[in-house]
Every structure is written in structure tokens, then in C-alpha cells.
Amino acid sequence: MLDDLKHCKKAVGVKQSTKAVENGVASSVIIARDCEQRVVRGIIELCENKSVPITYVDSMKQLGKACGIDVDAAVACIFK
């Protein structure tokens, strides 16, 4: 899944990913295990309510790199 992130249509970050899930355009959400739980608690609940699958990766650094950005990322989502 991480290899696909660089080349697919996506949103990076908690706010952008939350908007995508709320609008029904996210097919899946990726969350870094090492981010603060208070930051991602809301999107986890939203994904559970909207039946959007969540995939976890080991680190924010790994997720940011997979998204093709130069900073760490706590959350990303892939569009339908």
C-alpha cells in the first residue's frame, strides 16, 4: 500500500483526510502508529462510523516519505 501512495490521488494530513472521509470520497485511510492518539482519535471514530478501512504503518516519517512529502505525516487517505 505504501508504494501506491506516491502515485495515486490522495489527501495528506488529519484535516484533509477527515474532510475526504466526511465527503465520502476516501476509499481507505492510513495512520502512523507513532503519532499522538489525541490527534487521530476523531478520524478513527469517523472511519469506523463510515465503514472506511484503516491501515496502520509504523512511523510518521515512513508515511510522509511514502506520500512524497518532505515532512512526517500522521494520516493520509486514498481517494476512490
Side-chain angles (χ1 to χ4, degrees), residues 48-80:
E48 289 171 354
N49 291 336
K50 299 259 186 181
S51 299
V52 175
I54 299 172
T55 303
Y56 290 92
V57 296
D58 292 333
S59 72
M60 292 172 57
K61 181 179 275 310
Q62 181 184 26
L63 184 55
K65 184 176 180 181
C67 289
I69 60 175
D70 293 330
V71 294
D72 298 351
V75 179
C77 75
I78 298 175
F79 293 140
K80 291 180 180 176

Side-chain angles (χ1 to χ4, degrees), residues 15-63:
K15 288 181 183 180
Q16 295 298 325
S17 297
T18 298
K19 285 181 190 176
V21 173
E22 287 173 342
N23 294 331
V25 296
S27 64
S28 65
V29 171
I30 302 101
I31 299 176
R33 291 189 192 278
D34 66 342
C35 67
E36 292 184 38
Q37 288 303 302
R38 66 176 179 80
V39 172
V40 294
R41 189 175 302 126
I43 195 165
I44 291 171
E45 288 179 18
L46 183 62
C47 287
E48 289 171 354
N49 291 336
K50 299 259 186 181
S51 299
V52 175
I54 299 172
T55 303
Y56 290 92
V57 296
D58 292 333
S59 72
M60 292 172 57
K61 181 179 275 310
Q62 181 184 26
L63 184 55

Side-chain angles (χ1 to χ4, degrees), residues 2-15:
L2 284 180
D3 295 336
D4 300 334
L5 271 177
K6 215 175 249 188
H7 306 292
C8 68
K9 190 164 170 100
K10 64 188 166 294
V12 181
V14 175
K15 288 181 183 180

